[in-house]
Amino acid sequence: MSTAQALTLDQVVDTARYPLPEPDSAGGRAVISRARHELRTLGCTVLPDFVRPALRAALEQECAAIAPQAHFDIETVNVYNIAVDADLPAGHPGRRTFQRGNAFVPRDRVPEESLISRLYSDPVFQDFLARCFGLPRLHELADPLSGLVLNVVAPGMEHPWHFDTNEFTVSMLTRQAQDGGVFEYCPNIRSAHDERFDDVRDVLDGRGERLIRRLPLHPGDLQLFKGRYSLHRVSPVRGETARHSAIFAYSERPGVIGSVARTRQLFGRVLAAHTAAEGRAVRGDRLLD
């Protein structure tokens, strides 16, 4: 029997500190209130030791076992994940390009019995996340590849500055890099109505230190993040050890499936579900990416 099959949610998560089954208790309300406040003011909140420390080794081993299945491809990208040859005015931050060298293990390669899969599909966990984000409900992505993924940043690689397509992101570091691999972000550097290209350009040009926060993360910490409005990156990984993090992808609406182009970029393949859903995506704002 696997670790995840043998354990209940209470045994996986420190529910004394994070009372997921009792969100309306005093403790539950306090945790959710703090998360909402930090998401609103800082664009990010971290729940340290969300997974019990006794399970850190199992968490790391399970993810390390599937890491070799990550699709790896070095790509030239910009912060908006749009075509690097897009017709943009001189000085536009979208004209700056970077080498993206991180890789992803798709959901269909993540064992259902693993700890991260157990968490991803748990309705109590999903309800807790929705409350933290101030949403009535979250839905698992219908996408067979990108709902739950393992992000792998190998030594010498990085995940350069970028914005997310989703308004919110849930992730968990499962293995630290030996050196480097620091999560850096610029809280609410843009809004749904203002791209603030000047501030973005300052960060890319090395003049935006005033806008950057660096977040110490440890295996088992749960991170909730508004990545659509906060420019962010994982700095270059150094040493002998790759950085691993699980990304739990949800949506406010059911049936969400990624585009053919983006799916092929991330995973090197597309499935029938992606082809069938192409062209049905609806954007919630008019931001560049």
Side-chain angles (χ1 to χ4, degrees):
M1 181 174 289
S2 73
T3 301
Q5 287 175 318
L7 297 175
T8 65
L9 182 65
D10 285 344
Q11 292 170 309
V12 173
V13 176
D14 184 352
T15 50
R17 187 174 183 180
Y18 306 112
L20 273 65
E22 300 175 326
D24 294 318
S25 66
R29 290 197 303 271
V31 170
I32 292 166
S33 177
R34 179 179 68 83
R36 286 184 178 181
H37 173 73
E38 292 183 351
L39 284 166
R40 183 175 62 256
T41 57
L42 302 175
C44 181
T45 188
V46 176
L47 284 64
D49 292 331
F50 187 79
V51 170
R52 293 184 182 276
L55 292 177
R56 284 180 186 166
L59 179 69
E60 177 177 346
Q61 290 166 8
E62 287 181 349
C63 292
I66 63 173
Q69 300 186 62
H71 171 69
F72 177 79
D73 185 24
I74 296 179
E75 295 180 285
T76 301
V77 297
N78 54 36
V79 298
Y80 302 104
N81 288 309
I82 61 174
V84 295
D85 59 354
D87 185 16
L88 300 172
H92 192 289
R95 294 175 68 95
R96 286 286 306 276
T97 60
F98 305 88
Q99 297 297 304
R100 185 181 69 82
N102 62 324
F104 294 93
V105 178
R107 184 178 184 181
D108 64 353
R109 304 286 168 81
V110 179
E112 291 185 4
E113 68 274 11
S114 65
L115 286 166
I116 58 173
S117 187
R118 164 81 169 89
L119 278 175
Y120 178 69
S121 298
D122 191 283
V124 175
F125 178 64
Q126 293 175 9
D127 178 68
F128 171 76
L129 295 177
R131 289 170 184 260
C132 288
F133 283 114
L135 299 171
R137 183 180 176 185
L138 289 178
H139 299 271
E140 295 180 29
L141 296 197
D143 193 304
L145 299 184
S146 64
L148 169 66
V149 302
L150 182 71
N151 179 230
V152 178
V153 187
M157 298 292 108
E158 64 179 304
H159 195 175
W161 290 112
H162 65 285
F163 291 103
D164 291 342
T165 301
N166 285 354
E167 182 175 342
F168 54 85
T169 303
V170 181
S171 64
M172 178 181 291
L173 191 71
T174 65
R175 189 169 77 175
Q176 288 176 305
Q178 184 176 353
D179 190 19
V182 177
F183 183 81
E184 302 178 347
Y185 77 110
C186 306
N188 300 315
I189 195 171
R190 70 175 182 177
S191 71
H193 309 289
D194 186 356
E195 292 274 14
R196 292 175 61 188
F197 290 130
D198 289 346
D199 283 344
V200 174
R201 184 167 50 246
D202 281 352
V203 173
L204 303 186
D205 290 345
R207 300 189 304 270
E209 186 65 27
R210 71 191 186 281
L211 300 167
I212 301 173
R213 288 177 175 264
R214 292 173 179 85
L215 194 64
L217 296 170
H218 305 281
D221 293 352
L222 187 70
Q223 179 186 10
L224 280 60
F225 180 56
K226 288 193 171 182
R228 183 139 183 80
Y229 306 122
S230 297
L231 187 68
H232 56 289
R233 75 167 185 165
V234 173
S235 67
V237 169
R238 299 182 294 272
E240 304 295 325
T241 306
R243 181 189 192 272
H244 297 165
S245 60
I247 301 175
F248 307 85
Y250 303 97
S251 175
E252 296 179 57
R253 65 185 190 279
V256 172
I257 295 177
S259 70
V260 167
R262 184 65 171 153
T263 300
R264 185 173 286 111
Q265 181 187 56
L266 293 178
F267 305 114
R269 60 192 172 105
V270 296
L271 303 179
H274 301 102
T275 305
E278 190 73 351
R280 296 206 304 262
V282 177
R283 296 294 298 273
D285 56 50
R286 295 187 178 183
L287 292 173
L288 188 59
D289 59 322

